[in-house]
């Protein structure tokens, strides 16, 4: 099936609208647009995310948002901003008070050093040591009171040189206005051999008031790959002097140079006129194209007009999601997040349609071509959001990814410009394209996209190397030994391919890839209750520390266990049922930005983005609402450290936007939207296919009811087709969780279980007879670890009964004679502790009078983190647990029981959790 839609463009102009002499990205306008609202850029603070958050043990480079405050327009190919000495990977750190330069390229929140290409620095006075070998000697201090930023604009004052710097941008150009002191030696340094990732060869040529040349960029995350950026710099007056440098040698009057550690300087006499303006055009094709970009997008010298046009472009795209109500803080968080969402990827094609492909050749496209994909990060939250709010741009992005695959071999994974750098794990390209399609981006070659998706799992390569380097062993064993997170990523990609194939009517490919998607089960250990490293012979590495980073990519077992968003029903059944799943989720959200080495939620990294909505699948949407709002309040602020981790090209910010809208694309690659209720009383999403209005009445964080286009629904989810043509969502909110809305067995989002026999349904056990009852127990390890902690239904906050007494005993009084038919015990592993400490051997006894006891069940040599033990129903008032072996591995002597639960019902079948769930 071939589906190609080419949106018309003015001849020879790709993705650029000329507003007088100012170029900005073409943003498709919705047909039924509401009246122009307030200036939304007033709520954007580009400094949010420019410094560290408080996450413990964050991923490398991930303590803060790593955002930058420079001038950029939506999806702009130029990001003109400051670079500071101890910069986060973005090049800028708010807490620094010194500026080394202003460069033309930055990435929004990537986790590795990157870009900072073509650095420029205004200075005054004669040059001393060569900037080629002593660039940082020219850095200047500045005062925070002199620094400001807004969408499309940045300003600061270099105290050392008494010089004011203002920056703005168009799609492919940057512009600067420098106000020097009165001087005959006001200079601008232009570094063609310096970037964040090392010194490389460049070239420069001075011709009056114009400077052209190239720089060698790349090297992202240690990659050896590079590419060329060509530039054209023009000044509003001719310099009074000029020169170049190469290494440690400065040559006054030299008009050209090339090589490593090279650059140029121009000098101006500002005794009569202190302001000097300049503008820079970039191209990845040629100097001639850089010149053409500059001429087309900024043909004049009106800095204010360029700045105003940039602001207007941001207001137009931010108005795609117009929120009403909320505090000034809420508005600032929301619109700053949306601002970051629309910064990436970046248009890399020129105004004439030329672009450099993944094959290194120059191609031409009538549509804008985008580059820079943080694939592993953006597939979870970002892709669906950009498709919903900006479907025309999303189609161009999908088209660009397909072009990359056709020219380079496969859909991009983590690519910078024309380089596939193979950063991170998995195969995210199919998930991104599949999610774009699922949420309305249809204007691209879908047949070619599917072919590229399949090629990846068939041994295909991108620029000579496979993206799925472990595909052979994955196909043979149905998991990747010793690498459960990698295995889950492959399965997630297979799911997206299956759904995309199904949407295109390809049943055979759907069936093949859904079978592979169900291999997630082979990473889940029924004994530990977690996603767990597995050996090539099928055995599990034992014991498991759920908080350990060993064998996981930027996370741990407690975090990755939830990364099965397309089959939460299967995962919940494997855990023993929704009651246990909710307990585990409550425990998981003890902390919400816990870093990599605690068994709790970590919003600062992407693998867990969708976990709050597992509550929806467990028939507890109020849990999702509480968790989401806790994350929003505790981990997102309006300070410089206001993002909980790397923004990763808009991924973290996209999570926040969805959270505020009250919806979330909980199943990457599918069209599901889990519902938790909006944070604003009114939201208008303006889109070409029809506007979406989201209203909320009543106070409080919990959904009480939902009407979709006037019809009430108890479902705690939507599908994209419900909103594809526009619609209205009316939420009724309340201060207490609803006991009815969204809690029915048929109210939960879909799980996709075709491709394998579903995981056996966990029994619905009913009321826990032991909840909150009086207990007596052996001497606890500490006063806070007495027997009552084992009947409080809480796993979180280390709520357990612990005793070092040999043959420890825990007894519970059920209050009256009750029918008891099963017991659930939640051991150390479910509390986030080492599974070696799960109780090995124990007896369950019952009594009617507390004196005469009958053994109901004996469990021996167990390693399970949760034991479900049904037995012949009997009448009992008292329940007793006798522990013979407090652990299953090692010499520890302490018994640790997190929960002791008793139920009146229970099948006579054996514990289903102990059985295999392999696929």
């Amino acid at each position: 099936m071939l589906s190609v839609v080419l949106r018309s463009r003015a001849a020879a102009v790709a993705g650029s609208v000329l507003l007088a002499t100012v170029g900005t990205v073409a943003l498709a306008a919705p047909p039924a647009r509401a009246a122009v609202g307030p200036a939304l850029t007033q709520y954007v603070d580009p400094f949010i995310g420019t410094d560290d958050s408080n996450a413990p043990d964050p991923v490398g480079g991930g303590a803060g948002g790593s955002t930058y405050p420079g001038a950029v327009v939506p999806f702009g190919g130029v990001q003109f901003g400051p670079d500071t000495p101890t910069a986060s990977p973005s090049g800028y750190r708010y807490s620094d008070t010194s500026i080394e330069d202003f460069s033309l390229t930055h990435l929004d929140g990537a986790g590795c050093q990157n870009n900072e290409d073509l650095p420029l620095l205004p200075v005054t006075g004669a040059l001393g040591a060569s900037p080629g070998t002593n660039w940082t000697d020219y850095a200047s201090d500045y005062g925070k009171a002199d620094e400001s930023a807004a969408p499309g604009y940045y300003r600061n004052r270099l105290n050392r040189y008494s010089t004011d710097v203002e920056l703005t941008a168009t799609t492919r150009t940057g512009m600067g206005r420098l106000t020097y002191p009165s001087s005959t030696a006001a200079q601008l340094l232009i570094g063609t051999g310096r970037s964040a990732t090392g010194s490389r060869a460049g070239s420069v040529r001075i011709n009056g008031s114009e400077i052209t040349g190239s720089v060698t960029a790349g090297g992202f995350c240690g990659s050896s790959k590079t590419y060329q950026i060509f530039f054209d710099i023009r000044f509003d007056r001719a310099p009074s002097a000029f020169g170049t440098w190469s290494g440690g040698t400065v040559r006054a009057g030299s008009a050209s140079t090339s090589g490593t550690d090279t650059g140029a300087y121009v000098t101006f006499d500002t005794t009569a006129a202190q302001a000097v303006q300049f503008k820079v055009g970039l191209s990845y094709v040629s100097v001639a194209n850089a010149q053409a970009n500059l001429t087309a997008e900024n043909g004049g010298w009106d800095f204010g007009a360029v700045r105003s046009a940039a602001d207007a472009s941001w207001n137009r795209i931010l108005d795609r999601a117009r929120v009403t109500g909320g505090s000034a803080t809420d508005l600032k968080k929301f619109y700053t997040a949306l601002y970051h969402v629309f910064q990436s990827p970046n248009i890399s094609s020129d105004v004439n349609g030329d672009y450099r492909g993944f094959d290194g050749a120059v191609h031409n496209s009538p549509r804008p071509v985008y580059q820079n994909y943080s694939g592993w990060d953006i597939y979870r939250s970002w892709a669906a959001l950009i498709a919903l709010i900006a479907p025309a741009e999303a189609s161009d992005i999908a088209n660009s990814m397909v072009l990359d695959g056709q020219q380079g071999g496969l859909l991009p994974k983590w690519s910078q410009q024309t380089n596939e750098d193979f950063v991170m794990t998995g195969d995210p390209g199919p998930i991104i394209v599949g999610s774009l399609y699922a949420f309305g981006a249809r204007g691209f070659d879908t047949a070619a996209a599917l072919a590229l998706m399949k090629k990846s799992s068939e041994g295909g390569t991108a620029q000579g190397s496979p993206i799925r380097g472990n595909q052979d062993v994955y196909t043979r064993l149905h998991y990747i030994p010793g690498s459960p997170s990698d295995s889950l990523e492959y399965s997630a990609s297979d799911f997206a391919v299956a759904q995309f194939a199904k949407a295109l009517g390809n049943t055979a490919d759907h069936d093949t890839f859904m079978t592979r998607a169900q291999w997630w089960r082979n990473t889940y250990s029924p004994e530990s209750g977690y996603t767990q490293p597995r050996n090539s012979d099928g055995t599990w590495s034992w014991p498991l520390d759920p908080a350990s980073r060993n064998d996981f990519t930027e996370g741990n077992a407690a975090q990755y266990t939830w990364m099965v968003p397309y089959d939460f029903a299967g995962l919940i059944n494997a855990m023993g049922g929704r009651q246990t799943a909710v307990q585990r989720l409550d425990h998981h959200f003890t902390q919400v930005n816990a870093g990599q080495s605690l068994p709790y939620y970590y919003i600062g990294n992407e693998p867990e983005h969708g976990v709050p909505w597992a509550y929806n699948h467990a028939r507890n949407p109020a849990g999702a609402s509480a968790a989401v709002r806790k994350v929003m309040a505790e981990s997102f602020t309006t300070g410089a450290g206001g993002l909980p981790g790397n923004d990763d090209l808009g991924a973290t910010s996209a999570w926040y936007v969805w959270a505020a809208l009250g919806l979330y694309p909980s199943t990457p690659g599918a069209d599901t939207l889990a519902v938790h209720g909006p944070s604003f009383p009114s939201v208008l999403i303006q889109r070409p296919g029809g506007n979406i209005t989201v209203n909320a009445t009543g106070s409080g964080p919990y959904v009480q009811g939902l009407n979709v286009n006037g019809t009430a629904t108890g479902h705690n989810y939507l599908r994209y087709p419900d909103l594809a043509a526009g619609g209205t969502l009316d939420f009724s909110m309340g201060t207490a969780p609803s006991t009815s809305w969204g809690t029915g067995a048929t109210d939960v989002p879909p799980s996709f279980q075709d491709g394998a026999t579903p995981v056996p349904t966990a029994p619905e056990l009913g009321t826990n007879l032991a909840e909150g009852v009086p207990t007596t127990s052996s001497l606890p390890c500490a006063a806070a670890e007495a027997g009552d902690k084992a009947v409080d239904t809480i796993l979180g906050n280390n709520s357990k009964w612990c005793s070092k007494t040999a043959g420890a005993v825990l007894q519970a009084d059920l209050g009256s004679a009750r029918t008891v038919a099963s017991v659930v015990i939640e051991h150390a592993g479910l509390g986030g502790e080492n599974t070696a400490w799960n109780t090995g051997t124990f007896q369950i006894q019952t009594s009617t009078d507390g004196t005469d006891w009958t053994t109901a069940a004996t469990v021996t040599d167990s390693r399970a983190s949760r034991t479900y033990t049904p037995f012949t129903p009997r009448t009992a008032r008292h329940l007793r647990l006798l522990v013979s072996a407090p652990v299953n591995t090692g010499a520890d002597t302490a018994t640790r029981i997190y929960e002791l639960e008793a139920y009146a019902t229970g099948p006579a079948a054996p514990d289903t959790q102990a059985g295999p769930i392999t696929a």
Side-chain angles (χ1 to χ4, degrees):
M1 177 178 178
L2 180 65
S3 174
V4 180
V5 178
L6 297 181
R7 292 186 289 121
S8 62
R9 296 285 194 274
V13 177
S16 176
V17 174
L18 301 185
L19 301 177
T21 59
V22 179
T24 58
V25 180
L27 302 177
R33 199 166 182 82
V36 177
L40 300 177
T41 52
Q42 67 179 304
Y43 302 118
V44 175
D45 183 353
F47 291 111
I48 292 175
T50 58
D51 221 322
D52 291 347
S53 70
N54 59 358
D57 189 25
V59 299
S66 295
T67 61
Y68 64 91
V72 65
V73 297
F75 304 114
V78 167
Q79 311 86 34
F80 201 2
D83 301 314
T84 66
T86 66
S88 57
S90 66
Y92 174 90
R93 189 185 298 279
Y94 184 82
S95 54
D96 284 345
T97 56
S98 176
I99 287 179
E100 295 182 341
D101 55 61
F102 303 91
S103 61
L104 274 293
T105 61
H106 297 85
L107 291 178
D108 171 50
C112 293
Q113 295 293 328
N114 62 85
N115 292 313
E116 301 175 49
D117 302 303
L118 193 59
L120 309 175
L121 182 65
V123 302
T124 57
L127 295 187
S130 170
T133 51
N134 299 273
W135 182 276
T136 58
D137 289 352
Y138 290 90
S140 172
D141 64 310
Y142 72 95
K144 285 297 176 184
D146 292 321
E147 185 180 39
S148 63
Y153 177 74
Y154 176 84
R155 174 188 172 88
N156 211 332
R157 180 175 178 80
L158 303 181
N159 290 336
R160 179 177 176 181
Y161 304 114
S162 300
T163 298
D164 294 326
V165 179
E166 294 177 272
L167 309 177
T168 189
T170 71
T171 301
R172 301 168 181 86
T173 79
M175 189 174 189
R177 182 163 61 189
L178 309 176
T179 305
Y180 291 97
S182 177
S183 173
T184 59
Q187 314 211 59
L188 182 67
L189 308 182
I190 303 160
T192 54
R194 172 183 169 84
S195 75
T197 57
S199 297
R200 299 187 180 88
S203 66
V204 62
R205 179 176 296 276
I206 304 169
N207 183 17
S209 60
E210 184 176 28
I211 301 177
T212 56
S214 67
V215 300
T216 304
F220 181 69
C221 268
S223 171
S224 61
K225 295 181 179 180
T226 60
Y227 52 87
Q228 294 293 300
I229 304 177
F230 301 91
F231 65 87
D232 177 35
I233 306 176
R234 302 177 197 174
F235 298 91
D236 65 353
R237 62 167 115 164
S240 57
F242 56 84
T244 65
W245 64 79
S246 178
T249 303
V250 178
R251 296 183 178 90
S254 169
S256 66
T257 190
S258 62
T260 304
D261 294 329
T262 55
Y265 67 91
V266 287
T267 307
F268 299 94
D269 184 339
T270 58
T271 54
Q274 294 179 315
V276 176
Q277 293 190 108
F278 68 92
K279 50 193 178 182
V280 188
L282 299 185
S283 168
Y284 296 91
V285 172
S286 66
V287 167
N289 278 18
Q291 292 171 318
N293 289 342
L294 189 53
T295 298
E297 292 194 353
N298 189 0
W301 289 104
D302 191 338
F303 184 93
V306 178
R307 177 187 175 183
S308 295
D311 180 78
S313 70
W314 277 114
N315 272 314
R316 284 194 299 275
I317 201 164
L318 294 175
D319 200 36
R320 302 276 183 92
R322 186 185 300 177
V323 300
T324 303
S327 67
T329 295
D330 292 335
L331 290 168
K332 181 177 285 190
K333 286 183 182 181
F334 180 82
Y335 279 111
T336 300
L338 194 58
Y339 165 76
H340 287 303
V341 165
F342 287 124
Q343 284 188 22
S344 308
N346 309 109
I347 288 180
S348 66
S349 54
D350 296 322
V351 293
N352 65 358
D354 287 351
Y355 69 96
R356 181 92 46 189
F358 267 49
D359 55 2
V362 176
H363 303 265
N364 189 274
S365 171
R367 305 168 65 173
V369 174
Y370 294 75
Q371 298 296 5
N372 299 330
Y373 298 104
S374 179
W376 187 79
D377 307 291
I378 62 175
Y379 82 69
R380 294 168 172 89
S381 301
W382 180 89
L385 181 62
I386 210 76
L388 183 72
I389 296 182
E393 291 83 357
S395 288
D396 284 339
I397 290 167
N399 178 67
S400 299
M401 295 182 70
V402 171
L403 291 175
D404 292 342
Q406 291 173 322
Q407 294 156 10
L410 297 174
L411 294 173
K413 179 179 183 178
W414 212 128
S415 60
Q416 184 188 31
Q417 293 303 332
T418 54
N419 290 337
E420 176 53 70
D421 291 320
F422 301 98
V423 177
M424 302 307 298
T425 186
D427 185 13
I431 314 178
I432 297 169
V433 173
S435 292
L436 292 173
Y437 183 90
F439 281 87
R442 305 293 167 84
F444 62 98
D445 188 337
T446 55
L450 180 58
L452 289 166
M453 293 177 183
K454 293 168 57 180
K455 184 180 177 183
S456 183
S457 63
E458 295 167 353
T461 61
Q463 296 180 346
S465 297
I467 283 179
R468 291 190 175 210
N470 291 311
Q471 181 66 27
D472 287 347
V473 67
Y474 173 73
T475 304
R476 178 167 51 87
L477 295 179
H478 299 182
Y479 64 93
I480 301 174
S483 190
S485 52
D486 290 9
S487 192
L488 286 175
E489 292 288 354
Y490 280 27
S491 298
S493 186
D494 287 338
F495 170 77
V497 177
Q499 297 310 302
F500 189 65
K502 183 177 182 179
L504 302 186
N506 190 322
T507 302
D509 285 342
H510 165 266
D511 294 347
T512 295
F513 283 91
M514 271 310 300
T515 297
R516 295 178 180 181
Q518 299 300 352
W519 293 348
W520 73 264
R521 305 177 189 189
N522 302 324
T523 70
Y524 180 88
S525 165
E527 279 190 309
S528 71
Y530 290 95
T531 289
Q532 183 173 344
R534 195 170 189 177
N535 303 314
S536 58
D537 63 0
T539 60
W540 302 96
S541 300
W542 196 269
L544 173 72
D545 177 359
S548 173
R549 297 167 51 184
N550 292 341
D551 301 311
F552 289 90
T553 301
E554 296 186 355
N556 56 49
Q559 294 163 354
Y560 269 96
T561 293
W562 300 100
M563 213 196 89
V564 195
Y566 55 88
D567 191 14
F568 273 138
L571 179 66
I572 289 169
N573 281 324
M575 287 181 170
R578 61 189 182 91
Q579 296 98 325
T580 296
V582 168
Q583 287 177 316
R584 293 187 63 174
L585 285 166
D586 290 346
H587 172 268
H588 200 56
F589 285 96
T590 299
Q591 294 184 29
V592 295
N593 199 26
Q596 302 173 92
S597 301
L598 292 172
Y600 307 122
Y601 185 70
Y602 181 20
I603 183 57
N605 207 23
E606 284 72 21
E608 289 213 280
H609 272 193
V611 176
W613 294 275
Y615 278 109
N616 288 52
H617 289 261
R619 297 165 57 181
N620 186 1
S625 180
V628 169
R629 284 163 171 79
K630 181 178 182 180
V631 176
M632 293 174 72
E634 293 184 10
S635 294
F636 291 84
T637 73
T638 57
L643 290 182
N646 291 153
D647 202 37
D648 285 315
L649 280 64
T652 303
S653 290
W655 186 96
Y656 187 89
V657 171
W658 281 117
L661 294 177
L663 313 166
Y664 187 79
S666 56
T667 311
D671 62 8
T672 307
L673 285 169
V675 170
H676 61 274
S679 298
F680 294 96
S682 180
V683 179
L684 175 64
I685 300 174
Q686 304 188 88
R687 53 194 309 277
N691 295 343
I692 301 169
T693 301
V694 183
N695 300 315
T697 58
S699 60
Y702 300 108
V703 179
Q704 310 296 306
L706 170 62
N707 284 5
V708 180
N709 297 324
T711 301
T713 178
H715 289 175
N716 62 40
Y717 72 96
L718 303 167
R719 304 292 289 268
Y720 171 72
D722 297 331
L723 302 173
T728 300
L729 306 179
D730 292 304
F731 286 89
S732 174
M733 306 298 291
T735 57
S738 171
T739 58
S740 58
W741 182 83
T743 61
T746 61
D747 291 336
V748 303
S751 287
F752 298 80
Q753 299 188 310
D754 44 335
T757 302
V759 176
T761 301
E764 285 283 342
L765 298 176
T767 301
N768 174 14
L769 305 178
E771 179 178 351
V773 302
T775 62
T776 57
S777 65
S778 301
L779 184 69
C781 299
E785 296 177 328
D788 63 310
K789 298 299 183 183
V791 294
D792 63 0
T793 75
I794 297 172
L795 290 174
N797 299 315
N798 200 35
S799 179
K800 65 173 182 278
W801 167 56
C802 176
S803 178
K804 295 182 179 180
T805 302
V809 178
L810 172 65
Q811 186 171 317
D813 182 350
L814 304 182
S816 62
R818 314 290 295 272
T819 298
V820 180
S822 61
V823 167
V824 170
I825 301 176
E826 293 172 354
H827 301 272
L830 288 203
E833 297 191 89
N834 197 301
T835 60
W837 298 340
N838 293 338
T839 313
T841 300
F842 56 91
Q843 281 188 337
I844 299 167
Q845 297 183 333
T846 60
S847 173
T848 57
D849 57 9
T851 300
D852 297 319
W853 295 90
T854 301
T855 298
T858 299
V859 176
T860 59
D861 299 325
S862 174
R863 302 196 307 184
S865 297
R866 176 187 184 271
T867 51
Y868 163 58
T869 308
F871 42 77
T872 303
R874 79 265 322 280
T875 299
R877 173 173 174 167
H878 301 277
L879 186 69
R880 186 163 70 177
L881 173 68
L882 289 79
V883 177
S884 301
V887 296
N888 63 80
T889 304
D892 195 286
T893 60
T895 295
R896 300 168 179 86
I897 302 295
Y898 274 79
E899 286 301 312
L900 172 67
E901 302 171 351
Y903 297 96
T905 59
D911 181 0
T912 57
Q913 186 165 342
I917 61 164
T918 54

